[in-house]
Amino acid sequence: MKPLRLIAALAASMLFTQPTAAADKYPSKPVRVIVPYQAGQGTDVAGRYLAEYLAKSLGQAFIVENRPGAGGNIGASEVARAAPDGYTLLMGTNGTHVLNQYMYASTAFDPEKDFEPIMLVSSFPMVLLSPPGSPYANLPDLRDAAKAKSDSVNVGMPSATARLVFELLKQQGVDSIRGIPYKGSATATTDLMGGQVQIGIDTVSAARSFITGGKLHAVAVTSLKESALLPGVKSVAEQGLPGFQVIAWNGLYAPKGTPPAVVQKLNAELAKILARPEVRQRLLELGHEPGGGTPAELAEFARSERLKWQPLIVQAGLKAE
């Protein structure tokens, strides 16, 4: 082989072997998983549970760090700026990767260009909540009370998805309610149980333990039909607003430029974890429908979600407060 061809062949082999070698050694130190919401919120619960399994399967600690604020933008922007080496990951959501770019004047990151998708982790409906003994036991009760006295019902909204549910309710006739934004589920739930707000909107995962423990009442879920995650709770659509549907989701992301072999390794490990019956059962108990799929499928799903929700958000003039 001529010298120039030999050099070219060696260079090409290095391009293919170096990423593979990096993936073989990955992870060689602890991995940070940024959850851009308060501890105890649905994304945090799922993130911590799956981080334990990733640590067991890959032999390094996967340390969950909460970076709440600005509807998830603070934590997401931190990951977008992180070194693309697989040691800083983001448990992203439909808030960080779909809704926020249309609701905030600036997010300091591009949800499509600044991240490498790894896998859709889970999906789940939102749930409308009230304290036990509340006069708002179902959606018709809430609608009638709101119509009877304008702005008499304060609604706690701890996320961009909750805000979307709130605005869609107003668009579809439950219009005399007043939204109160919160930075996370913990404070919103505390105020709901304490009577500072009369209705809450949150993920099933964040609210499930309060519902099963009798501390909160599930008024309605935002899936089209009753969800297996909350048997016996009718959907908003089934209670008089046909077609009403808002589904939240979690997806694992890495900074743009993370080696493809590392992304594929994380995807493969997550696929094994999510295939385990005990993991699937536990996620359901936590209020999450287990996800799956390839990085490309997560990218396409998020893209389709942006096409779906952008016109509605712009039309309604939704802005983060």
Side-chain angles (χ1 to χ4, degrees), residues 99-120:
L99 307 178
N100 288 2
Q101 65 177 315
Y102 308 121
M103 296 175 66
Y104 285 80
S106 174
T107 60
F109 63 88
D110 185 306
E112 187 165 10
K113 296 179 180 179
D114 291 341
F115 298 91
E116 299 287 355
I118 296 172
M119 179 179 280
L120 178 68

Side-chain angles (χ1 to χ4, degrees), residues 61 83 148 181 227 233 291:
S227 170
V233 179

Side-chain angles (χ1 to χ4, degrees), residues 22 31 41 69 118 159 278 301:
V31 178
Q41 199 154 341
I118 296 172
S159 67
E278 71 274 18
F301 173 65

Side-chain angles (χ1 to χ4, degrees), residues 104-179:
Y104 285 80
S106 174
T107 60
F109 63 88
D110 185 306
E112 187 165 10
K113 296 179 180 179
D114 291 341
F115 298 91
E116 299 287 355
I118 296 172
M119 179 179 280
L120 178 68
V121 172
S122 65
S123 61
F124 40 90
M126 304 293 282
V127 58
L128 276 65
L129 303 156
S130 64
S134 165
Y136 315 118
N138 52 49
L139 188 64
D141 289 343
L142 172 61
R143 184 170 49 193
D144 292 345
K147 285 183 177 180
K149 188 176 180 181
S150 180
D151 292 335
S152 62
V153 181
N154 292 329
V155 180
M157 310 176 300
S159 67
T161 312
R163 175 74 182 276
L164 184 62
V165 173
F166 171 81
E167 294 293 347
L168 287 176
L169 284 171
K170 294 189 70 173
Q171 278 190 359
Q172 297 193 27
V174 191
D175 53 2
S176 295
I177 52 179
R178 181 169 58 184

Side-chain angles (χ1 to χ4, degrees), residues 2 40 56 76 136 154 159 165 170 187 210 253 255 257 266 286:
K2 294 182 179 181
K56 292 175 184 176
Y136 315 118
N154 292 329
S159 67
V165 173
K170 294 189 70 173
T187 49
F210 296 99
Y253 289 86
L266 286 166
L286 293 173

Side-chain angles (χ1 to χ4, degrees), residues 8 43 57 64 69 110 131 138 158 182 208 220 232 248 268 291 298 308:
T43 301
S57 62
V64 174
D110 185 306
N138 52 49
Y182 284 85
R208 187 184 179 96
L298 173 54
K308 175 182 177 181

